[in-house]
């Protein structure tokens, strides 16, 4: 493993948020609207824009700051090349439904491309080739099978001999006519248009529940109510479950991103390794130069050893393949996987027709999130949409859903028991400054973080969602739940759902 001499940024911060974003007030009193959208990322803002354009009165509620969630932490590939997926989907769903999955992403790319062109957006949009490569014989066979799936589905692309890096490949597959952009510059313009059409945005407004009815109420943590005709849960993890059992049907994974400048000029294109651990490469314009985004090293949230090792693994890869000159950014992202790898988009349960959900985009939120907004707009307007049945959240395929459901929930049960029985040898005195970990205080498992000034921050590590024990994430300085992926800041505030209540603070003696 190559060791880099470049200093890692102390705190994780995505490059995209360097741009100034608009600010909005919180919801301070009960209000009414036609459509309430919970979540201010690509799905929520695109849906808000589309529905406001159709004349609906729409309000977007965001728990934190707009565009600071998963959308603000993406690598922003606008692509239908979602890893090695098409051969697998054909075996589970057949060619017809798999073609629909591809077409939904292709439509989303067209929507983004046309919107950028029509509005003359300055959002670093460029058309790029999407490339998957293998470095082992085992994955070379899988890449070749994926190309056969492309041919069956009519996807334009082809096998190539190599990629323009010092990586020995065993198979290379391209998908033509894909794209990349700066997601926040793009969405900032949609948001501006949304507000100009009469849309409302409430920041720092955490929705915690929905009271059902012909006119449902979205209830916030502070007790305000937003009455509406339709609710769209676009909050990454659905903030209300409504007996849809999403917590048991979604698996959270974390992955890592570096933003680096390099000695080697980047040749263009978007690259994704088929082998594990995955490696992804693409560039974005950066102060007249190119910032190279190096990402991958995913793992299940709250599992595994020190998360800093994932940043170091990517750093080593970037140094070896590209030669780093500067390392200004690092960040991580959380992605949700459905049981069959196809997103859940549509009515939250089969009997609740005015409450919609969009979740489980895996790592491909730019296309899946845009497709979700387009589909939900059609469902609200009662228009035919060819993708409604494919994405319906109430589907349950026998293969692979039942096996995955049992395996995922067996793991959750195991994590729940493991956390309760774990032996914790550490004391608070064992922690250095800027170090966190699980300690014992008065015989009770406690989360401790000693900040750079030496001040202790203590929390009860029991997740407020379903009682699993959170683990310390050193790379991001968060407490992460290994069961359903809830994440909390070092002082217990909710960073990511499904939990909507903070960890309980523990008083130091």
């Amino acid at each position: 493993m190559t060791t880099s001499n470049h200093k890692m940024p102390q705190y994780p911060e995505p490059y995209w948020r360097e741009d100034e974003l608009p600010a909005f007030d919180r919801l301070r009193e009960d209000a009414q609207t036609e459509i309430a959208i919970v979540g201010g990322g690509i799905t929520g803002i695109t849906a808000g824009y589309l529905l406001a354009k159709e004349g609906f009165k729409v309000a977007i509620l965001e728990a934190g700051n707009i565009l600071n969630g998963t959308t603000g932490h993406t690598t922003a590939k606008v692509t239908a090349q979602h890893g090695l997926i098409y051969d697998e989907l054909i075996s589970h769903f057949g060619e017809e439904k798999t073609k629909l999955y591809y077409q939904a992403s292709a439509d989303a790319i067209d929507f983004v491309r046309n919107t950028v062109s029509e509005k003359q957006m300055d959002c670093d949009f460029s058309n790029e080739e999407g490339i998957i490569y293998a470095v082992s014989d085992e994955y070379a066979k899988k890449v070749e099978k994926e190309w056969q799936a492309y041919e069956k589905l009519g996807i334009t692309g082809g096998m190539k001999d190599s990629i323009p890096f010092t990586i020995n490949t065993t198979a290379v597959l391209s998908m033509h006519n894909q794209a990349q952009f700066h997601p926040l510059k793009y969405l900032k313009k949609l948001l501006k248009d949304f507000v100009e059409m009469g849309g409302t945005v409430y920041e720092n407004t955490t929705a915690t529940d929905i009271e059902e009815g012909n006119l449902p109420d979205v209830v916030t943590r502070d007790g305000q109510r937003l009455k509406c005709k339709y609710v769209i849960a676009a909050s990454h993890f659905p903030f209300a479950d409504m007996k849809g059992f999403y917590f048991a049907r979604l698996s959270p994974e974390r992955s890592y991103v570096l933003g680096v400048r390099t000695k080697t000029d980047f040749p263009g294109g978007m690259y994704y390794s088929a082998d594990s651990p995955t490696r992804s490469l693409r560039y974005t314009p950066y102060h007249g130069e190119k910032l190279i985004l190096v990402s991958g090293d995913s793992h299940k949230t709250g599992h595994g050893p020190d998360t800093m090792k994932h940043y170091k693994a990517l750093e080593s890869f970037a140094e070896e393949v590209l030669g780093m000159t500067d390392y200004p950014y690092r960040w991580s992202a959380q992605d949700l996987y459905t049981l069959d790898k196809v997103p859940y988009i549509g009515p939250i349960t089969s009997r609740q027709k005015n409450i919609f959900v969009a979740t489980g985009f895996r790592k491909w939120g730019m296309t899946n999130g845009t497709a979700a907004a387009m589909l939900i707009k059609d469902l609200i307007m009662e228009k035919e949409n060819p993708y409604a049945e494919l994405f319906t959240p109430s589907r349950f395929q026998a293969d692979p859903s039942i096996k995955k459901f049992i395996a995922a929930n067996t793991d959750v049960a195991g994590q729940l028991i493991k956390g309760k029985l774990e032996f914790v040898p550490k004391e608070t005195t064992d922690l250095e400054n800027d170090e966190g970990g699980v300690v014992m205080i008065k015989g009770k498992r406690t989360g401790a973080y000693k900040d750079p000034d030496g001040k202790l921050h203590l929390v009860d590590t029991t997740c407020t969602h379903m009682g699993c024990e959170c683990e310390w994430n050193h790379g991001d300085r968060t407490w992460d739940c290994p069961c359903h992926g809830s994440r909390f800041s070092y002082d217990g505030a909710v960073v990511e759902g499904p939990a909507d209540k903070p960890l309980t603070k523990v008083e130091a003696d």
Side-chain angles (χ1 to χ4, degrees), residues 49 53 110-121:
Y49 165 79
K53 206 172 165 186
D110 287 344
F111 174 84
V112 172
R113 187 178 279 128
N114 294 338
T115 303
V116 168
S117 173
E118 283 164 22
K119 295 181 182 294
Q120 297 184 306
M121 286 188 189

Side-chain angles (χ1 to χ4, degrees), residues 24-31 202 205 220 222-225:
F24 300 92
D25 200 2
R26 60 166 47 91
L27 179 63
R28 296 183 179 276
E29 57 189 16
D30 292 355
Y202 299 106
T205 301
T220 73
D222 296 335
Q224 284 85 23
R225 290 167 175 271

